[in-house]
Amino acid sequence: MNIVKAAEECFEEIRAFREELHSFPELGHREHRTSRRIAQMLEGFGIPVLDCGLDTGVAALIEGGKSGKMLAIREDIDALPIAENTGLPFASQHAGISHACGHDIHAASLLGAAKILSQMREELCGSVLLIFQCAEETFDGAASMLQKDLFKNGVPDAVIGFHCAPSLPLGQVGVVSGIYNASCDRITLTVTGKGGHGAHPELCVDPVMLSAGLLVQLQTIISRGNCPTDPAVLTFGTIHGGSAPNVIPDQVTLCGTLRTFDDRVRKKHLAEVERLSGEFCRAFKGDCRMTVDCGMPPLINSPDICHLIEESAQKVLGEKSVRTDLAPSMGSDDFSCILEACRNHGAQFLVGTGIEEQENTRLGLHVAENVFPSEALLPGMMMLAQTAADFLR
Ligand SMILES: [Zn+2]
Ligand SMILES: [Zn+2]
């Protein structure tokens, strides 16, 4: 079957569906309408939706005509708490929420690929597990789906997926073999002192002062404690405490993120944040408790799957369509959790959405004004379908 032709044939239907998703964006774990509509469309294509006990998100299975391996294709479906400012005729109708990360393109592309793959199921040796993942932006969607019965039909032999890239031209695909995205851990430090009157610090243990000192010392974990050839970032983005200028509070909370490319580096620095915070605060008669949540491993793409993606891209998008010279990013994507669950076999690639003459398509992810052109649905669905077909050949 000619996948380029099949994609062109279902483009208008998929474009209309994408515009609908775009108009009604939903935040992580609240994608009820989005999930319902995806399931309806899949059933319309004759693809059975799996009952995995999911709250939001959708899983479905396409069984090929012959037996063989199982490939998972994962795309995310959630939106962001950003007020859209694109001026598109199909802009968000939900105040303060928009698809500013292009996940509407992801979900619709996977739906299009699913339609194409179901039309050619007799040719496929094996099966395709379709994962429309909830809550990527809140870092815990993949983990929440894996806790349910997502792999009830067995662990897939590999997983693929893509993310939109406004920095890449439309029609190009980016493939980064090996280290691609960072691990991500959300760290919460609760600094406890002893509150009281601001005029009598001698009767208190001031957690505001402790936090100010601690924040500076935490910077030494990367600058002095990290091997310079191991990339790592520790950023504290929030610090909250106190209610009045003349009151010393009992507690201050700091929240931050740790990013690394290596699980050993990640574990070492997490332990060091906990040790330093505790010992620093105790040295000043206070205390500190650390919690870590929403952790995800680094995303390391399998070289063999990257090679397959490159070959598939050349078939559907042409010889010069693949960029392999892109640098890894300290950004993160919980695709890495699904990848880890698939025994670390798979890869996530990039689909260009930037148009040279349209500056508002090149502003970047999470930007209220950025437009993800619907034309990106074509390379999106062609790439997913062709790579799946090639994997199951
Ligand atoms: Zn995002
Ligand atoms: Zn995203």
Side-chain angles (χ1 to χ4, degrees), residues 288-340:
C288 182
R289 191 167 46 85
M290 177 173 96
T291 56
V292 178
D293 56 354
C294 304
M296 64 188 79
L299 203 176
I300 300 172
N301 285 331
S302 306
D304 64 323
I305 301 294
C306 288
H307 187 69
L308 181 77
I309 292 167
E310 281 175 49
E311 287 184 341
S312 303
Q314 283 160 357
K315 287 182 198 168
V316 292
L317 298 173
E319 282 295 318
K320 294 199 171 70
S321 62
V322 190
R323 288 278 299 274
T324 55
D325 59 340
L326 306 172
S329 158
M330 293 311 284
S332 63
D333 191 310
D334 71 358
F335 181 92
S336 66
C337 294
I338 308 266
L339 180 61
E340 187 179 53

Side-chain angles (χ1 to χ4, degrees), residues 120-143:
M120 58 187 293
R121 68 174 89 207
E122 287 310 314
E123 296 174 37
L124 302 177
C125 306
S127 56
V128 182
L129 176 65
L130 307 164
I131 304 173
F132 294 88
Q133 188 208 295
C134 64
E136 189 279 330
E137 296 291 357
T138 55
F139 307 121
D140 59 346

Side-chain angles (χ1 to χ4, degrees), residues 12-31:
E12 282 308 324
E13 181 184 23
I14 297 301
R15 183 187 21 206
F17 185 71
R18 181 264 163 149
E19 292 182 358
E20 180 191 329
L21 289 188
H22 195 91
S23 299
F24 302 103
E26 294 170 305
L27 295 176
H29 298 299
R30 296 181 211 163
E31 309 97 331

Side-chain angles (χ1 to χ4, degrees), residues 26-41:
E26 294 170 305
L27 295 176
H29 298 299
R30 296 181 211 163
E31 309 97 331
H32 296 287
R33 184 190 188 282
T34 306
S35 301
R36 194 173 62 242
R37 288 289 294 126
I38 289 169
Q40 283 170 355
M41 294 291 284

Side-chain angles (χ1 to χ4, degrees), residues 156-378:
D157 294 284
V159 58
I160 61 163
F162 77 86
H163 202 294
C164 289
S167 57
L168 268 186
L170 184 68
Q172 282 201 355
V173 166
V175 186
V176 181
S177 189
I179 293 170
Y180 170 51
N181 267 349
S183 67
C184 176
D185 291 290
R186 192 160 69 192
I187 299 170
T188 303
L189 297 175
T190 307
V191 175
T192 306
K194 180 170 176 288
H197 201 298
H200 299 290
E202 77 281 10
L203 302 176
C204 305
V205 175
D206 183 357
V208 175
M209 184 282 296
L210 277 180
S211 300
L214 175 58
L215 199 54
V216 174
Q217 296 309 317
L218 285 167
Q219 299 305 315
T220 65
I221 290 178
I222 305 301
S223 70
R224 300 293 82 188
N226 184 60
C227 174
T229 52
D230 292 328
V233 171
L234 178 63
T235 293
F236 279 85
T238 74
I239 173 163
H240 289 291
S243 56
N246 57 350
V247 178
I248 292 173
D250 285 316
Q251 275 189 343
V252 172
T253 307
L254 300 90
C255 288
T257 178
L258 174 70
R259 315 277 177 129
T260 73
F261 283 149
D262 185 312
D263 254 331
R264 278 173 312 148
V265 177
R266 174 190 181 198
K267 290 198 175 82
K268 176 185 146 184
H269 292 330
L270 282 176
E272 187 57 12
V273 171
E274 185 164 33
R275 186 196 68 79
L276 179 70
S277 306
E279 292 190 3
F280 182 89
C281 291
R282 283 192 291 278
F284 293 93
K285 304 193 192 85
D287 204 358
C288 182
R289 191 167 46 85
M290 177 173 96
T291 56
V292 178
D293 56 354
C294 304
M296 64 188 79
L299 203 176
I300 300 172
N301 285 331
S302 306
D304 64 323
I305 301 294
C306 288
H307 187 69
L308 181 77
I309 292 167
E310 281 175 49
E311 287 184 341
S312 303
Q314 283 160 357
K315 287 182 198 168
V316 292
L317 298 173
E319 282 295 318
K320 294 199 171 70
S321 62
V322 190
R323 288 278 299 274
T324 55
D325 59 340
L326 306 172
S329 158
M330 293 311 284
S332 63
D333 191 310
D334 71 358
F335 181 92
S336 66
C337 294
I338 308 266
L339 180 61
E340 187 179 53
C342 295
R343 303 183 186 96
N344 294 308
H345 194 213
Q348 189 183 46
F349 57 97
L350 295 165
V351 166
T353 57
I355 299 173
E356 178 63 30
E357 314 78 59
Q358 269 178 258
E359 197 191 342
N360 63 357
T361 62
R362 295 184 279 108
L363 300 173
L365 305 175
H366 296 208
V367 176
E369 289 77 20
N370 192 75
V371 169
F372 297 90
S374 289
E375 288 69 27
L377 293 165
L378 268 179

